[in-house]
Amino acid sequence: MILKEYIDMAPKRGKRVSDGSDDDEDYRKRRDRNNEAVKKSRFKSKQRTQETFSRVSKLKEENKVLEEKVKTLTKELQFLKELFLAHASNTQNSKFEGIDLEKLLEDVPDSKEEKSSKK
C-alpha cells in the first residue's frame, strides 16, 4: 500500500492536458527549441568524431615518418661507428691505446630496456 501511495504522489510526466492554445503554442515552441538543440548537439558530436579520426590518421602518418627517420639514423650511426673503428685501428695514434673501442661504442640500452631487465 505504501508503494501505491508513493506512485500516486510522483509527478506526472508525459501526456499533458491542454487547457488552451497558449499552452499548445508554448509546448510547440519548447519542442521546436529542443529539436534544434538536439540537431546541433548531434552535428557537433559527428564533427568531433570526424576531427578525431582525421587527427588519428595524421598522427599515424607522422609516426610512420618518424619511425623511418629512426631507422635511417640508426643505420647512419652504425656506419659512423664502423668508420671510426676502422680509422682508429689504422692510426698509430697513442690516444686510443689501452681503450677498448668496441666496448666504448657498444649500443647503450634505452632506459626503458634497463628498467625492464632489472625486474
Side-chain angles (χ1 to χ4, degrees):
M1 282 211 178
I2 295 174
L3 182 61
K4 183 174 178 12
E5 291 171 6
Y6 179 75
I7 291 173
D8 290 341
M9 292 172 52
K12 304 290 182 200
R13 297 180 194 249
K15 294 183 181 178
R16 292 174 36 111
V17 177
S18 168
D19 57 348
S21 64
D22 286 343
D23 286 342
D24 287 342
E25 286 179 37
D26 287 344
Y27 175 76
R28 195 69 251 150
K29 286 180 184 177
R30 284 196 309 273
R31 291 300 314 140
D32 290 342
R33 279 197 315 253
N34 182 262
N35 288 342
E36 287 300 315
V38 167
K39 282 181 189 176
K40 186 177 178 181
S41 174
R42 288 179 182 155
F43 176 76
K44 283 186 175 182
S45 177
K46 286 179 184 177
Q47 195 174 22
R48 280 192 304 269
T49 302
Q50 194 65 17
E51 288 171 358
T52 301
F53 279 125
S54 174
R55 186 162 187 257
V56 165
S57 296
K58 189 176 182 181
L59 290 172
K60 281 182 178 180
E61 277 302 312
E62 185 179 343
N63 193 34
K64 283 180 185 177
V65 169
L66 291 172
E67 284 177 349
E68 284 300 317
K69 190 172 184 177
V70 166
K71 285 180 184 177
T72 303
L73 291 172
T74 302
K75 287 178 182 177
E76 184 179 347
L77 177 63
Q78 186 61 37
F79 172 75
L80 291 173
K81 281 181 180 180
E82 290 171 5
L83 186 65
F84 174 75
L85 286 173
H87 176 72
S89 64
N90 287 338
T91 61
Q92 298 299 325
N93 199 339
S94 63
K95 285 193 266 185
F96 300 118
E97 282 183 31
I99 298 175
D100 186 2
L101 295 176
E102 295 280 344
K103 184 161 179 73
L104 182 65
L105 294 176
E106 279 181 358
D107 286 337
V108 177
D110 292 342
S111 59
K112 290 180 186 175
E113 290 177 12
E114 275 184 20
K115 289 177 184 175
S116 64
S117 66
K118 288 181 182 178
K119 289 182 181 177

